[in-house]
Amino acid sequence: MEKTDWKRIGWLTAATLVLGAIIGACAGLLTLLLYGVEYVMLGFIESEFIPGAFTVPAVRRIASVTLGLGVAGVIWYLLRTKTEKVPSVKKAVNGGRMPFWQTIVHVVLQIFIVGSGASIGREVAPRELGAMLAQRFCDIFHIGDGEGDAHGVLDRRMVVAVAAGAGLGGVYNAPLAGMFFAVEILLVDVTLEKVAFGLGMSATAAFVATAIKGEHMFYDIGAMQMNSTPSLMLFALLCGTACGVVGALFRKGSQWAESHKPTGRSLMWQMPIAGLVTGLVSIVVPQVMGNGRAAAQLGFSTFIPETADTSGAAQSAASTAASPWTFLAGSDGAPGSVVNAGTPLELNRLWMLLGVLALTFVAKALVTLMTIRSGASGGVLQPGIALGSTLGTMLGLLWLFVFPVDSVTACALIGAAALLSASQQAPLMAMCLVMELTEAPIEFFVPVGMAVAASAFVSSGLLRRLS
Protein backbone atom coordinates (compact mmCIF):
# COMPACT_ATOMS: atom_id res chain seq x y z
CA MET A 1 0.00 0.00 0.00
CA GLU A 2 1.35 3.42 -0.99
CA LYS A 3 1.98 5.88 1.81
CA THR A 4 -0.27 8.94 1.76
CA ASP A 5 1.67 12.02 0.66
CA TRP A 6 0.22 14.55 3.08
CA LYS A 7 2.56 17.29 1.92
CA ARG A 8 1.28 16.97 -1.63
CA ILE A 9 -2.31 16.93 -0.44
CA GLY A 10 -1.57 20.06 1.57
CA TRP A 11 -0.19 22.12 -1.28
CA LEU A 12 -2.89 20.88 -3.65
CA THR A 13 -5.48 22.14 -1.17
CA ALA A 14 -3.63 25.43 -0.73
CA ALA A 15 -3.39 25.86 -4.49
CA THR A 16 -7.07 25.17 -4.95
CA LEU A 17 -8.26 27.59 -2.29
CA VAL A 18 -5.53 30.19 -1.73
CA LEU A 19 -4.03 30.44 -5.20
CA GLY A 20 -7.51 30.13 -6.73
CA ALA A 21 -8.77 33.00 -4.55
CA ILE A 22 -5.79 35.21 -5.45
CA ILE A 23 -6.28 34.54 -9.16
CA GLY A 24 -10.00 35.23 -8.80
CA ALA A 25 -9.28 38.54 -7.08
CA CYS A 26 -6.89 39.49 -9.89
CA ALA A 27 -9.47 38.49 -12.52
CA GLY A 28 -12.09 40.64 -10.82
CA LEU A 29 -9.72 43.61 -10.63
CA LEU A 30 -8.79 43.21 -14.31
CA THR A 31 -12.48 43.39 -15.19
CA LEU A 32 -12.87 46.58 -13.16
CA LEU A 33 -9.77 47.95 -14.90
CA LEU A 34 -11.40 47.24 -18.26
CA TYR A 35 -14.51 49.14 -17.19
CA GLY A 36 -12.38 52.03 -15.99
CA VAL A 37 -10.47 52.27 -19.26
CA GLU A 38 -13.71 52.14 -21.25
CA TYR A 39 -15.19 54.93 -19.15
CA VAL A 40 -12.15 57.19 -19.50
CA MET A 41 -11.40 56.48 -23.16
CA LEU A 42 -14.87 55.96 -24.62
CA GLY A 43 -17.24 57.37 -22.01
CA PHE A 44 -19.25 54.19 -21.44
CA ILE A 45 -19.01 50.89 -19.57
CA GLU A 46 -20.01 47.72 -21.39
CA SER A 47 -22.88 45.82 -19.82
CA GLU A 48 -25.95 43.83 -20.72
CA PHE A 49 -27.64 47.18 -21.35
CA ILE A 50 -24.91 48.65 -23.60
CA PRO A 51 -22.89 45.79 -25.16
CA GLY A 52 -20.67 48.04 -27.27
CA ALA A 53 -19.58 51.56 -28.19
CA PHE A 54 -22.75 52.29 -30.16
CA THR A 55 -23.54 55.55 -28.39
CA VAL A 56 -19.97 56.89 -28.53
CA PRO A 57 -19.38 59.65 -31.12
CA ALA A 58 -17.39 58.45 -34.14
CA VAL A 59 -14.58 60.95 -33.56
CA ARG A 60 -14.09 59.69 -30.01
CA ARG A 61 -14.05 56.08 -31.20
CA ILE A 62 -11.28 56.86 -33.69
CA ALA A 63 -9.26 58.88 -31.19
CA SER A 64 -9.62 56.28 -28.42
CA VAL A 65 -8.49 53.20 -30.30
CA THR A 66 -5.73 55.05 -32.18
CA LEU A 67 -4.34 56.53 -28.97
CA GLY A 68 -4.73 53.25 -27.10
CA LEU A 69 -2.82 51.17 -29.63
CA GLY A 70 -0.30 53.98 -30.12
CA VAL A 71 0.60 54.14 -26.43
CA ALA A 72 0.63 50.34 -26.17
CA GLY A 73 2.89 50.09 -29.22
CA VAL A 74 5.58 52.25 -27.59
CA ILE A 75 5.44 50.40 -24.26
CA TRP A 76 5.42 46.98 -25.92
CA TYR A 77 8.43 47.96 -28.02
CA LEU A 78 10.35 48.83 -24.87
CA LEU A 79 9.05 45.78 -23.03
CA ARG A 80 9.96 43.36 -25.81
CA THR A 81 13.35 44.80 -26.77
CA LYS A 82 14.79 46.28 -23.57
CA THR A 83 13.67 43.82 -20.88
CA GLU A 84 13.14 40.12 -20.33
CA LYS A 85 10.46 38.80 -22.69
CA VAL A 86 7.17 37.41 -21.41
CA PRO A 87 6.66 33.86 -22.75
CA SER A 88 3.30 32.50 -23.83
CA VAL A 89 1.19 30.53 -21.37
CA LYS A 90 2.01 27.30 -23.20
CA LYS A 91 5.73 28.00 -22.85
CA ALA A 92 5.20 28.85 -19.17
CA VAL A 93 3.49 25.50 -18.64
CA ASN A 94 6.50 23.78 -20.22
CA GLY A 95 8.98 25.58 -17.97
CA GLY A 96 9.39 29.07 -19.43
CA ARG A 97 9.90 31.61 -16.64
CA MET A 98 7.40 34.48 -16.52
CA PRO A 99 9.14 37.63 -15.19
CA PHE A 100 7.15 39.40 -12.48
CA TRP A 101 6.78 43.08 -13.34
CA GLN A 102 7.08 42.54 -17.10
CA THR A 103 4.15 40.12 -16.97
CA ILE A 104 2.06 42.60 -14.99
CA VAL A 105 2.75 45.40 -17.50
CA HIS A 106 2.05 43.01 -20.38
CA VAL A 107 -1.27 41.97 -18.82
CA VAL A 108 -2.38 45.55 -18.08
CA LEU A 109 -1.57 46.62 -21.65
CA GLN A 110 -3.86 43.92 -23.04
CA ILE A 111 -6.76 45.13 -20.91
CA PHE A 112 -5.94 48.74 -21.83
CA ILE A 113 -6.12 48.22 -25.60
CA VAL A 114 -9.37 46.24 -25.37
CA GLY A 115 -10.89 48.96 -23.19
CA SER A 116 -9.84 51.60 -25.70
CA GLY A 117 -11.60 49.71 -28.48
CA ALA A 118 -9.02 47.41 -30.09
CA SER A 119 -10.52 44.38 -31.81
CA ILE A 120 -8.90 41.56 -29.83
CA GLY A 121 -9.81 39.30 -26.92
CA ARG A 122 -8.93 40.06 -23.29
CA GLU A 123 -8.88 36.50 -22.00
CA VAL A 124 -5.12 35.96 -22.42
CA ALA A 125 -4.34 38.56 -19.74
CA PRO A 126 -5.86 36.70 -16.75
CA ARG A 127 -4.40 33.42 -18.01
CA GLU A 128 -0.90 34.89 -18.12
CA LEU A 129 -1.32 36.45 -14.70
CA GLY A 130 -2.57 33.14 -13.31
CA ALA A 131 0.42 31.28 -14.78
CA MET A 132 2.89 33.79 -13.35
CA LEU A 133 1.32 33.61 -9.88
CA ALA A 134 1.35 29.81 -10.07
CA GLN A 135 5.09 29.77 -10.74
CA ARG A 136 5.66 31.88 -7.62
CA PHE A 137 3.39 29.53 -5.65
CA CYS A 138 5.46 26.57 -6.81
CA ASP A 139 8.63 28.39 -5.75
CA ILE A 140 7.26 28.85 -2.23
CA PHE A 141 6.37 25.17 -1.89
CA HIS A 142 9.50 24.01 -3.78
CA ILE A 143 7.41 22.17 -6.36
CA GLY A 144 9.51 20.95 -9.27
CA ASP A 145 12.58 23.04 -8.47
CA GLY A 146 14.91 20.17 -7.54
CA GLU A 147 17.40 18.39 -9.78
CA GLY A 148 16.05 15.11 -11.09
CA ASP A 149 12.62 15.64 -9.53
CA ALA A 150 10.61 14.37 -12.49
CA HIS A 151 7.39 13.98 -10.51
CA GLY A 152 7.74 17.50 -9.13
CA VAL A 153 8.22 18.91 -12.62
CA LEU A 154 4.98 17.28 -13.72
CA ASP A 155 3.21 18.71 -10.66
CA ARG A 156 4.58 22.17 -11.41
CA ARG A 157 3.38 21.89 -15.00
CA MET A 158 -0.08 20.92 -13.76
CA VAL A 159 -0.30 23.80 -11.28
CA VAL A 160 0.71 26.41 -13.87
CA ALA A 161 -1.77 25.09 -16.45
CA VAL A 162 -4.64 24.86 -13.98
CA ALA A 163 -3.91 28.37 -12.68
CA ALA A 164 -4.00 29.74 -16.22
CA GLY A 165 -7.36 28.06 -16.71
CA ALA A 166 -8.56 29.52 -13.43
CA GLY A 167 -7.77 32.98 -14.78
CA LEU A 168 -10.11 32.32 -17.68
CA GLY A 169 -12.75 30.82 -15.39
CA GLY A 170 -12.53 33.78 -13.03
CA VAL A 171 -12.76 36.60 -15.55
CA TYR A 172 -15.80 35.08 -17.30
CA ASN A 173 -17.39 33.24 -14.35
CA ALA A 174 -16.94 30.05 -16.35
CA PRO A 175 -15.32 27.35 -14.17
CA LEU A 176 -16.06 24.49 -16.57
CA ALA A 177 -14.42 26.32 -19.46
CA GLY A 178 -11.45 27.21 -17.26
CA MET A 179 -10.94 23.60 -16.26
CA PHE A 180 -11.26 22.30 -19.83
CA PHE A 181 -8.88 24.99 -21.10
CA ALA A 182 -6.24 23.66 -18.73
CA VAL A 183 -6.65 19.95 -19.39
CA GLU A 184 -7.71 20.07 -23.05
CA ILE A 185 -5.45 22.80 -24.48
CA LEU A 186 -2.49 23.25 -22.14
CA LEU A 187 -1.95 19.79 -20.64
CA VAL A 188 -3.66 17.70 -23.34
CA ASP A 189 -4.08 15.13 -20.61
CA VAL A 190 -7.49 14.48 -19.07
CA THR A 191 -7.12 12.60 -15.77
CA LEU A 192 -9.38 12.53 -12.74
CA GLU A 193 -6.84 14.40 -10.61
CA LYS A 194 -6.29 17.17 -13.17
CA VAL A 195 -10.03 17.60 -13.78
CA ALA A 196 -10.79 17.78 -10.06
CA PHE A 197 -7.88 20.14 -9.36
CA GLY A 198 -8.73 22.35 -12.34
CA LEU A 199 -12.42 22.53 -11.56
CA GLY A 200 -11.77 23.29 -7.90
CA MET A 201 -9.38 26.15 -8.60
CA SER A 202 -11.51 27.60 -11.44
CA ALA A 203 -14.63 27.47 -9.28
CA THR A 204 -12.79 29.23 -6.44
CA ALA A 205 -11.48 31.89 -8.82
CA ALA A 206 -14.92 32.42 -10.36
CA PHE A 207 -16.53 32.80 -6.94
CA VAL A 208 -14.02 35.38 -5.72
CA ALA A 209 -13.96 37.29 -9.02
CA THR A 210 -17.74 37.54 -9.04
CA ALA A 211 -17.69 38.95 -5.52
CA ILE A 212 -15.42 41.76 -6.75
CA LYS A 213 -16.77 42.60 -10.20
CA GLY A 214 -20.38 41.56 -9.65
CA GLU A 215 -22.46 38.99 -11.43
CA HIS A 216 -23.75 40.27 -14.75
CA MET A 217 -25.29 38.71 -17.82
CA PHE A 218 -22.59 38.55 -20.48
CA TYR A 219 -24.72 37.56 -23.49
CA ASP A 220 -28.48 38.03 -23.60
CA ILE A 221 -30.19 35.09 -25.32
CA GLY A 222 -33.68 35.96 -24.11
CA ALA A 223 -35.04 35.75 -27.65
CA MET A 224 -34.30 32.00 -27.87
CA GLN A 225 -36.91 29.27 -28.11
CA MET A 226 -37.85 27.34 -25.02
CA ASN A 227 -37.06 23.83 -26.23
CA SER A 228 -34.81 22.07 -28.70
CA THR A 229 -36.37 20.52 -31.83
CA PRO A 230 -35.43 17.74 -34.29
CA SER A 231 -34.94 20.36 -37.00
CA LEU A 232 -32.52 22.24 -34.74
CA MET A 233 -30.45 19.07 -34.45
CA LEU A 234 -30.22 18.95 -38.24
CA PHE A 235 -29.27 22.61 -38.31
CA ALA A 236 -26.57 21.93 -35.71
CA LEU A 237 -25.01 19.30 -37.95
CA LEU A 238 -25.01 21.53 -41.03
CA CYS A 239 -23.95 24.67 -39.16
CA GLY A 240 -21.20 22.77 -37.38
CA THR A 241 -19.82 21.63 -40.71
CA ALA A 242 -19.77 25.18 -42.09
CA CYS A 243 -18.27 26.58 -38.88
CA GLY A 244 -15.62 23.86 -38.98
CA VAL A 245 -14.36 25.17 -42.30
CA VAL A 246 -14.54 28.85 -41.35
CA GLY A 247 -13.08 28.25 -37.89
CA ALA A 248 -10.11 26.37 -39.32
CA LEU A 249 -9.41 29.23 -41.73
CA PHE A 250 -9.66 31.76 -38.90
CA ARG A 251 -7.22 29.68 -36.85
CA LYS A 252 -4.74 29.61 -39.75
CA GLY A 253 -5.20 33.35 -40.23
CA SER A 254 -4.57 34.15 -36.57
CA GLN A 255 -1.50 31.89 -36.56
CA TRP A 256 -0.16 33.69 -39.62
CA ALA A 257 -0.81 37.09 -38.05
CA GLU A 258 0.90 36.00 -34.82
CA SER A 259 3.97 34.72 -36.65
CA HIS A 260 4.34 37.91 -38.72
CA LYS A 261 4.22 40.42 -35.86
CA PRO A 262 6.78 43.23 -36.07
CA THR A 263 9.67 42.85 -33.67
CA GLY A 264 11.48 46.17 -34.00
CA ARG A 265 10.69 49.86 -34.20
CA SER A 266 7.96 49.27 -36.78
CA LEU A 267 5.81 48.11 -33.88
CA MET A 268 5.49 51.74 -32.80
CA TRP A 269 3.87 52.86 -36.06
CA GLN A 270 2.04 49.72 -37.16
CA MET A 271 -0.08 49.53 -34.01
CA PRO A 272 -1.43 53.11 -34.15
CA ILE A 273 -2.19 52.61 -37.85
CA ALA A 274 -4.16 49.49 -36.91
CA GLY A 275 -5.99 51.60 -34.35
CA LEU A 276 -6.77 54.28 -36.91
CA VAL A 277 -8.13 51.70 -39.36
CA THR A 278 -10.22 50.14 -36.59
CA GLY A 279 -11.65 53.55 -35.73
CA LEU A 280 -12.48 54.36 -39.35
CA VAL A 281 -14.20 50.98 -39.79
CA SER A 282 -16.17 51.63 -36.59
CA ILE A 283 -17.80 54.66 -38.22
CA VAL A 284 -19.89 52.21 -40.26
CA VAL A 285 -19.53 49.10 -38.06
CA PRO A 286 -19.31 50.25 -34.41
CA GLN A 287 -19.76 46.67 -33.19
CA VAL A 288 -16.28 45.84 -34.54
CA MET A 289 -14.66 47.55 -31.55
CA GLY A 290 -13.63 45.69 -28.42
CA ASN A 291 -13.27 42.01 -27.67
CA GLY A 292 -16.29 40.88 -29.67
CA ARG A 293 -19.13 41.21 -27.19
CA ALA A 294 -21.06 43.72 -29.30
CA ALA A 295 -20.69 41.76 -32.55
CA ALA A 296 -21.70 38.49 -30.89
CA GLN A 297 -24.71 40.12 -29.23
CA LEU A 298 -25.85 41.34 -32.66
CA GLY A 299 -26.35 37.72 -33.62
CA PHE A 300 -27.88 36.64 -30.31
CA SER A 301 -30.35 39.55 -30.40
CA THR A 302 -31.66 38.89 -33.92
CA PHE A 303 -35.35 38.21 -33.38
CA ILE A 304 -38.02 37.39 -35.95
CA PRO A 305 -41.50 37.58 -34.35
CA GLU A 306 -43.08 35.42 -37.05
CA THR A 307 -41.69 32.36 -35.25
CA ALA A 308 -42.87 33.37 -31.79
CA ASP A 309 -46.07 31.32 -31.88
CA THR A 310 -44.34 28.13 -32.94
CA SER A 311 -40.92 28.32 -31.28
CA GLY A 312 -41.96 29.93 -28.02
CA ALA A 313 -39.34 32.65 -28.51
CA ALA A 314 -40.14 36.11 -27.22
CA GLN A 315 -38.06 39.25 -26.79
CA SER A 316 -38.68 41.33 -23.70
CA ALA A 317 -38.83 45.10 -23.76
CA ALA A 318 -35.53 45.27 -21.85
CA SER A 319 -33.80 42.95 -24.31
CA THR A 320 -35.15 44.92 -27.25
CA ALA A 321 -33.91 48.19 -25.78
CA ALA A 322 -30.43 46.76 -25.19
CA SER A 323 -30.20 45.05 -28.58
CA PRO A 324 -27.40 46.19 -30.92
CA TRP A 325 -30.06 46.31 -33.63
CA THR A 326 -31.85 49.02 -31.66
CA PHE A 327 -28.63 51.05 -31.33
CA LEU A 328 -27.87 50.62 -35.03
CA ALA A 329 -31.39 51.67 -35.96
CA GLY A 330 -30.85 55.08 -34.39
CA SER A 331 -32.85 57.03 -31.89
CA ASP A 332 -36.16 56.63 -33.68
CA GLY A 333 -35.94 52.83 -34.10
CA ALA A 334 -38.57 53.11 -36.80
CA PRO A 335 -40.01 49.88 -38.20
CA GLY A 336 -38.80 50.89 -41.63
CA SER A 337 -35.20 51.07 -40.54
CA VAL A 338 -32.80 48.91 -42.51
CA VAL A 339 -31.36 47.31 -39.40
CA ASN A 340 -34.48 46.84 -37.31
CA ALA A 341 -34.77 43.09 -36.70
CA GLY A 342 -38.07 43.18 -34.85
CA THR A 343 -40.33 42.97 -37.89
CA PRO A 344 -41.68 40.00 -39.86
CA LEU A 345 -39.19 38.32 -42.15
CA GLU A 346 -39.74 39.45 -45.72
CA LEU A 347 -37.41 38.85 -48.62
CA ASN A 348 -36.22 42.46 -48.91
CA ARG A 349 -35.67 42.72 -45.16
CA LEU A 350 -33.84 39.37 -45.17
CA TRP A 351 -31.20 40.78 -47.50
CA MET A 352 -30.85 43.86 -45.31
CA LEU A 353 -30.27 41.76 -42.19
CA LEU A 354 -27.88 39.44 -43.98
CA GLY A 355 -25.97 42.43 -45.30
CA VAL A 356 -25.43 43.92 -41.84
CA LEU A 357 -24.43 40.56 -40.39
CA ALA A 358 -22.07 39.76 -43.28
CA LEU A 359 -20.44 43.16 -42.99
CA THR A 360 -20.00 42.61 -39.25
CA PHE A 361 -18.53 39.16 -39.80
CA VAL A 362 -16.00 40.26 -42.42
CA ALA A 363 -15.04 43.45 -40.57
CA LYS A 364 -14.55 41.66 -37.25
CA ALA A 365 -12.42 38.91 -38.80
CA LEU A 366 -10.19 41.22 -40.81
CA VAL A 367 -9.76 43.91 -38.15
CA THR A 368 -8.93 41.30 -35.50
CA LEU A 369 -6.28 39.69 -37.70
CA MET A 370 -4.92 43.14 -38.56
CA THR A 371 -4.68 44.03 -34.86
CA ILE A 372 -2.73 40.84 -34.09
CA ARG A 373 -0.51 41.36 -37.15
CA SER A 374 0.31 44.91 -36.03
CA GLY A 375 1.94 43.56 -32.88
CA ALA A 376 -0.83 43.59 -30.27
CA SER A 377 -1.07 40.77 -27.74
CA GLY A 378 -4.43 39.29 -26.81
CA GLY A 379 -6.76 36.41 -27.44
CA VAL A 380 -9.20 35.24 -30.09
CA LEU A 381 -11.79 33.46 -27.92
CA GLN A 382 -14.30 36.31 -27.87
CA PRO A 383 -13.67 37.29 -31.53
CA GLY A 384 -14.25 33.62 -32.38
CA ILE A 385 -17.57 33.64 -30.53
CA ALA A 386 -18.53 36.84 -32.38
CA LEU A 387 -17.75 35.30 -35.76
CA GLY A 388 -19.64 32.12 -34.88
CA SER A 389 -22.67 34.02 -33.61
CA THR A 390 -22.96 36.17 -36.73
CA LEU A 391 -22.35 33.21 -39.07
CA GLY A 392 -24.89 31.07 -37.20
CA THR A 393 -27.40 33.92 -37.41
CA MET A 394 -26.96 34.29 -41.15
CA LEU A 395 -27.50 30.58 -41.66
CA GLY A 396 -30.40 30.68 -39.20
CA LEU A 397 -32.22 33.41 -41.12
CA LEU A 398 -32.17 31.21 -44.21
CA TRP A 399 -33.11 28.17 -42.12
CA LEU A 400 -36.28 29.88 -40.90
CA PHE A 401 -37.77 29.84 -44.37
CA VAL A 402 -37.82 26.03 -44.19
CA PHE A 403 -38.19 25.45 -40.44
CA PRO A 404 -39.89 28.48 -38.84
CA VAL A 405 -40.27 26.49 -35.61
CA ASP A 406 -36.68 27.37 -34.68
CA SER A 407 -35.40 30.73 -33.44
CA VAL A 408 -32.48 32.68 -34.89
CA THR A 409 -30.96 33.06 -31.42
CA ALA A 410 -30.68 29.29 -31.04
CA CYS A 411 -28.90 29.19 -34.39
CA ALA A 412 -26.53 31.92 -33.20
CA LEU A 413 -25.78 29.95 -30.02
CA ILE A 414 -24.93 26.86 -32.04
CA GLY A 415 -22.75 28.81 -34.45
CA ALA A 416 -20.83 30.53 -31.65
CA ALA A 417 -19.85 27.26 -29.97
CA ALA A 418 -19.09 25.47 -33.23
CA LEU A 419 -16.77 28.11 -34.68
CA LEU A 420 -14.98 28.58 -31.35
CA SER A 421 -14.45 24.82 -31.21
CA ALA A 422 -12.87 24.82 -34.66
CA SER A 423 -10.69 27.89 -34.14
CA GLN A 424 -9.38 26.68 -30.76
CA GLN A 425 -9.36 22.94 -31.52
CA ALA A 426 -10.94 22.47 -28.11
CA PRO A 427 -14.55 21.25 -28.40
CA LEU A 428 -15.20 20.72 -24.67
CA MET A 429 -13.83 24.12 -23.67
CA ALA A 430 -15.72 25.86 -26.49
CA MET A 431 -19.03 24.23 -25.70
CA CYS A 432 -18.80 24.97 -21.97
CA LEU A 433 -17.59 28.56 -22.41
CA VAL A 434 -20.46 29.52 -24.72
CA MET A 435 -23.05 27.76 -22.58
CA GLU A 436 -21.72 29.43 -19.42
CA LEU A 437 -21.47 32.90 -20.94
CA THR A 438 -25.03 32.73 -22.29
CA GLU A 439 -26.50 30.82 -19.33
CA ALA A 440 -28.34 28.72 -21.91
CA PRO A 441 -30.81 26.03 -20.75
CA ILE A 442 -29.01 22.75 -20.14
CA GLU A 443 -31.04 20.88 -22.76
CA PHE A 444 -29.33 22.93 -25.48
CA PHE A 445 -26.12 21.07 -24.67
CA VAL A 446 -27.51 18.44 -27.08
CA PRO A 447 -27.68 20.51 -30.32
CA VAL A 448 -24.62 22.54 -29.29
CA GLY A 449 -22.73 19.30 -28.66
CA MET A 450 -23.75 18.00 -32.08
CA ALA A 451 -22.49 21.19 -33.77
CA VAL A 452 -19.24 21.20 -31.81
CA ALA A 453 -18.60 17.56 -32.71
CA ALA A 454 -19.17 18.21 -36.42
CA SER A 455 -17.06 21.34 -36.30
CA ALA A 456 -14.16 19.62 -34.52
CA PHE A 457 -14.19 16.72 -36.99
CA VAL A 458 -14.27 18.93 -40.10
CA SER A 459 -11.74 21.47 -38.85
CA SER A 460 -9.19 18.92 -37.69
CA GLY A 461 -9.24 17.25 -41.10
CA LEU A 462 -8.97 20.58 -42.92
CA LEU A 463 -6.12 21.80 -40.72
CA ARG A 464 -4.17 18.61 -41.42
CA ARG A 465 -4.52 19.29 -45.15
CA LEU A 466 -3.48 22.93 -44.76
CA SER A 467 -0.45 22.19 -42.56
Side-chain angles (χ1 to χ4, degrees), residues 87-103:
S88 67
V89 171
K90 284 190 175 182
K91 290 181 179 179
V93 170
N94 292 320
R97 184 69 174 178
M98 302 197 76
F100 183 77
W101 71 264
Q102 292 94 329
T103 299

Side-chain angles (χ1 to χ4, degrees), residues 87-331:
S88 67
V89 171
K90 284 190 175 182
K91 290 181 179 179
V93 170
N94 292 320
R97 184 69 174 178
M98 302 197 76
F100 183 77
W101 71 264
Q102 292 94 329
T103 299
I104 293 176
V105 174
H106 185 61
V107 164
V108 170
L109 280 177
Q110 293 176 59
I111 301 299
F112 174 70
I113 63 171
V114 174
S116 66
S119 179
I120 198 167
R122 64 182 171 102
E123 66 279 348
V124 171
R127 298 196 313 238
E128 291 179 339
L129 192 57
M132 186 271 288
L133 292 171
Q135 289 184 343
R136 271 59 188 179
F137 176 88
C138 290
D139 292 343
I140 293 173
F141 283 86
H142 303 289
I143 302 170
D145 59 358
E147 291 289 337
D149 185 9
H151 188 70
V153 171
L154 292 176
D155 279 343
R156 186 184 187 95
R157 186 171 182 269
M158 177 180 68
V159 174
V160 175
V162 165
L168 173 67
V171 80
Y172 288 131
N173 193 23
L176 284 173
M179 178 270 293
F180 278 122
F181 176 82
V183 301
E184 189 178 26
I185 295 180
L186 296 179
L187 295 172
V188 198
D189 181 19
V190 182
T191 65
L192 181 61
E193 181 181 70
K194 291 179 177 64
V195 169
F197 184 37
L199 190 56
M201 192 185 296
S202 287
T204 302
F207 177 78
V208 174
T210 300
I212 293 174
K213 64 184 178 65
E215 186 171 0
H216 310 291
M217 181 187 301
F218 201 87
Y219 291 124
D220 179 8
I221 58 167
M224 195 168 73
Q225 64 205 66
M226 301 298 294
N227 301 297
S228 180
T229 62
S231 57
L232 194 63
M233 292 296 292
L234 177 59
F235 175 84
L237 184 62
L238 299 176
C239 181
T241 301
C243 287
V245 175
V246 177
L249 295 176
F250 182 63
R251 180 180 178 86
K252 293 295 292 185
S254 60
Q255 289 174 339
W256 173 87
E258 187 70 34
S259 64
H260 286 77
K261 281 183 175 181
T263 56
R265 294 181 181 274
S266 59
L267 180 71
M268 292 188 287
W269 61 263
Q270 289 193 31
M271 284 186 62
I273 288 179
L276 178 60
V277 173
T278 302
L280 293 174
V281 171
S282 75
I283 296 174
V284 180
V285 193
Q287 62 271 26
V288 79
M289 297 186 75
N291 64 0
R293 183 174 186 174
Q297 191 60 60
L298 185 74
F300 292 132
S301 294
T302 304
F303 175 64
I304 307 301
E306 277 186 335
T307 66
D309 293 336
T310 52
S311 69
Q315 193 171 40
S316 67
S319 294
T320 301
S323 168
W325 292 104
T326 301
F327 289 110
L328 291 175
S331 59

Side-chain angles (χ1 to χ4, degrees), residues 284-285 287 298 325 328 338-339 347-363 390 394 397:
V284 180
V285 193
Q287 62 271 26
L298 185 74
W325 292 104
L328 291 175
V338 170
V339 293
L347 191 58
N348 63 334
R349 191 162 302 281
L350 170 67
W351 292 115
M352 295 174 186
L353 296 175
L354 289 175
V356 174
L357 290 162
L359 180 61
T360 301
F361 177 90
V362 173
T390 50
M394 287 187 280
L397 286 169

